[in-house]
């Protein structure tokens, strides 16, 4: 066996599922803590899974007891229990890292204190409507209102376009711990998957991401119309940011490329990330291979993180019907270079991540041509 150690993972969604796809190829056992029949458990048959919530301290403890290394596929977990179990089992990345990153405001402060540029932020906890107005006079409009915690896929963001939006913003997010960010008038969004190993920090190539309504829609590898100088600078910035955190594993680093070519960090994910799905087909090692190897101290030849061929990833989000994702997958079956990933989540709900597909081709232009009819279907579904 390549490795007899058992990996425990908090969360059994699509990221856990794709991590298991990588682990299965190496005969490595992954114990998942999540509800039964979650996407990750569906493809992993053994008696080491734990049934329950990754927010439940007792369940986290049980997972730790049956695993040699514990990791996460989501950062919204019980960090206190991870701290407690870290004296008995390796927790990667460190619970300290998870604790900082799971609070987006704390994360930004931490990055700033390590000399990493982030969007300017103002704390709004306990400040109410008056606080939101003050941000408007300081930052101007629009600005981005964000929940510090439990935020993903834009669920936790509200664009405040004018003072007239404040009431609606307060209604949408008012019961959550809030902060505000200065609007980043970006030319483009970039992302870099970073691998932190026992020996240092490695990166996958820089990619371009397109978000719609605060949720990732497309990833272009390499980015379109970006100089090699900028893609290299993005990789350096991502390395610097992740170098500031403790622990091993892959990290997703989302950035804004401003119109004057300045790079700002948007946010960091302490785990495999949507913007790294393209690596499954486009790189010799995927982000999931890299995560598994990093937390287990297995070799990661740096050239295995290179882009073999240009690639475009398209997210398959739930549309207006329960089978909208199936319609896209069926259309993609006709596309010779499209690799389709459905996550086993059952019926679609609007905006939910149901799957993704990646088209690779000898040139980005060829990939763009092949994927366009699939983007058209996605856009039609959105209406
Ligand atoms: P994820 O699913 O990546 O965790 P999230 O819910 O944490 O997403 P963010 O990454 O904070 O949300 O924001 C989602 C998107 O909203 C960004 O990718 C970007 O397109 C837009 N956005 C976020 N912050 C700003 C900002 N300060 N200025 C302009 N646009 C922003
Ligand atoms: Mg986020
Ligand atoms: Mg994000």
């Amino acid at each position: 066996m390549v490795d007899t150690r058992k990996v425990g993972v908090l969360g059994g969604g699509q990221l856990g599922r794709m991590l298991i796809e990588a682990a299965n190829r190496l005969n490595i056992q992954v114990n998942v803590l999540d509800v039964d029949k979650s996407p990750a458990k569906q493809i992993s048959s053994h008696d080491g899974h734990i049934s329950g919530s990754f927010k439940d301290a007792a369940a986290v403890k049980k997972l730790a007891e049956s695993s040699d290394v514990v990791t996460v596929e989501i950062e919204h977990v019980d960090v206190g229990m991870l701290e407690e179990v870290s004296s008995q089992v390796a927790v990667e990345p460190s619970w300290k890292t998870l604790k900082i990153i799971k609070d987006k405001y704390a994360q930004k402060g931490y990055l700033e204190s390590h000399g990493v540029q982030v969007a300017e932020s103002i704390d709004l906890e306990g400040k109410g409507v008056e606080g939101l107005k003050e941000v408007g006079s300081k930052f101007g409009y629009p600005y981005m209102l964000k929940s510090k915690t439990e935020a993903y896929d834009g669920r936790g963001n509200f664009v405040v376009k004018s003072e007239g939006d404040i009431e609606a913003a307060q209604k949408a997010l008012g019961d959550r711990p809030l902060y505000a960010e200065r609007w980043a008038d970006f030319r483009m969004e970039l992302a870099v998957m970073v691998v932190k190993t026992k020996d240092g920090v490695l990166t996958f190539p820089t990619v371009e991401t397109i978000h719609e309504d605060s949720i990732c829609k497309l990833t272009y590898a390499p980015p379109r119309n970006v100089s090699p100088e900028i893609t290299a600078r993005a990789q350096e910035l991502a390395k610097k940011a992740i170098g500031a955190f403790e622990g091993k594993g892959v990290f997703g680093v989302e950035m804004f490329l401003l119109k004057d070519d300045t790079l700002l960090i948007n946010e960091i994910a302490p785990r495999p990330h949507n913007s790294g799905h393209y690596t499954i087909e486009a790189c010799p090692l995927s982000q999931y291979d890299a995560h598994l190897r990093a937390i287990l101290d297995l070799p990661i030849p740096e050239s295995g993180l290179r882009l073999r061929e240009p690639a475009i990833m398209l997210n398959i989000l739930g549309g207006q019907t329960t089978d909208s994702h199936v319609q896209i997958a069926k259309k993609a079956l006709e596309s010779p270079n499209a690799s389709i990933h459905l996550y086993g989540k059952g019926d679609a709900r609007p905006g939910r991540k149901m799957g993704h597909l990646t088209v690779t081709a000898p040139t980005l232009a060829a990939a763009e041509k092949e994927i366009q009819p699939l983007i058209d279907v996605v856009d039609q579904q959105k209406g």
Side-chain angles (χ1 to χ4, degrees):
M1 233 193 220
V2 172
D3 205 298
T4 55
R5 285 174 294 174
K6 289 177 184 149
V7 174
V9 57
L10 277 72
Q14 67 267 21
L15 302 175
R17 179 173 167 116
M18 290 183 268
L19 183 68
I20 287 180
E21 286 174 350
N24 281 349
R25 293 196 305 272
L26 292 175
N27 287 349
I28 290 173
Q29 181 174 323
V30 179
N31 300 332
V32 175
L33 164 56
D34 208 332
V35 294
D36 291 339
K37 303 209 172 92
S38 60
K41 287 186 182 178
Q42 289 169 22
I43 63 160
S44 178
S45 172
H46 58 72
D47 54 14
H49 297 306
I50 311 269
S51 209
S53 166
F54 44 78
K55 290 177 194 268
D56 173 33
V60 171
K61 191 152 194 260
K62 212 165 145 198
L63 180 77
E65 281 162 3
S66 62
S67 308
D68 300 289
V69 182
V70 169
T71 189
V72 299
E73 61 120 46
I74 180 166
E75 56 275 30
H76 312 301
V77 299
D78 188 314
V79 176
M81 184 45 70
L82 283 179
E83 174 180 5
E84 212 175 300
V85 301
S86 65
S87 54
Q88 295 140 39
V89 66
V91 176
E92 302 294 353
S94 160
W95 62 269
K96 291 179 206 158
T97 295
L98 298 172
K99 189 174 176 183
I100 298 163
I101 291 181
K102 74 181 276 197
D103 178 331
K104 287 165 92 165
Y105 184 70
Q107 179 196 130
K108 292 216 158 69
Y110 185 83
L111 286 169
E112 266 187 328
S113 71
H114 285 79
V116 176
Q117 255 192 302
V118 295
E120 196 185 336
S121 305
I122 294 178
D123 191 1
L124 282 172
E125 259 190 276
K127 302 250 175 76
V129 167
E130 273 316 301
L132 270 72
K133 284 187 186 155
E134 274 170 38
V135 172
S137 34
K138 174 139 195 250
F139 284 169
Y141 297 93
Y143 69 82
M144 188 64 102
L145 184 65
K146 292 192 181 184
S147 172
K148 293 181 180 178
T149 57
E150 305 290 326
Y152 67 98
D153 293 348
R155 291 167 215 190
N157 286 4
F158 195 103
V159 182
V160 184
K161 296 197 187 86
S162 68
E163 199 174 318
D165 274 352
I166 287 181
E167 204 180 309
Q170 180 70 16
K171 205 166 162 206
L173 296 178
D175 56 348
R176 299 170 71 171
L178 299 179
Y179 76 102
E181 273 180 26
R182 188 186 284 284
W183 191 256
D185 191 15
F186 53 79
R187 164 153 90 88
M188 160 183 302
E189 290 186 84
L190 299 175
V192 178
M193 290 308 306
V194 175
V195 191
K196 199 150 180 290
T197 71
K198 66 179 184 351
D199 303 317
V201 186
L202 306 169
T203 69
F204 280 97
T206 302
V207 302
E208 171 188 354
T209 58
I210 306 273
H211 290 76
E212 252 178 37
D213 307 326
S214 273
I215 180 164
C216 179
K217 178 182 185 186
L218 287 153
T219 300
Y220 290 82
R224 295 167 299 174
N225 307 314
V226 174
S227 69
E229 184 273 323
I230 291 173
T231 56
R233 197 146 47 80
Q235 284 173 302
E236 284 314 307
L237 179 64
K239 262 191 187 176
K240 182 176 176 185
I242 299 311
F245 290 97
E246 271 184 43
K248 295 176 281 196
V250 301
F251 291 74
V253 182
E254 298 185 320
M255 295 174 227
F256 300 130
L257 174 63
L258 304 185
K259 288 176 177 146
D260 65 358
D261 285 350
T262 308
L263 285 165
L264 285 186
I265 299 249
N266 168 26
E267 65 163 347
I268 284 170
R271 51 169 169 78
H273 190 254
N274 200 165
S275 66
H277 290 350
Y278 78 95
T279 58
I280 298 174
E281 287 83 15
C283 303
L285 296 179
S286 76
Q287 63 167 340
Y288 302 99
D289 296 322
H291 186 66
L292 203 61
R293 293 183 188 204
I295 64 173
L296 291 170
D297 297 334
L298 298 173
I300 303 178
E302 192 167 6
S303 63
L305 308 183
R306 76 183 187 280
L307 192 65
R308 250 202 292 234
E309 203 174 41
I312 304 173
M313 188 277 325
L314 173 66
N315 264 342
I316 303 176
L317 303 178
Q320 296 309 317
T321 59
T322 52
D323 70 340
S324 53
H325 56 301
V326 179
Q327 300 308 322
I328 296 166
K330 279 187 176 163
K331 173 86 181 164
L333 289 173
E334 294 162 16
S335 198
N337 299 296
S339 298
I340 309 158
H341 301 251
L342 291 178
Y343 302 150
K345 292 187 177 178
D347 285 350
R349 285 201 307 269
R352 190 168 187 221
K353 285 178 178 163
M354 302 303 293
H356 77 267
L357 59 92
T358 301
V359 171
T360 65
T363 62
L364 195 63
E368 282 187 280
K369 194 165 173 221
E370 186 168 333
I371 207 167
Q372 191 55 51
L374 301 171
I375 298 175
D376 291 343
V377 178
V378 164
D379 289 342
Q380 274 159 22
Q381 280 191 355
K382 252 193 122 185

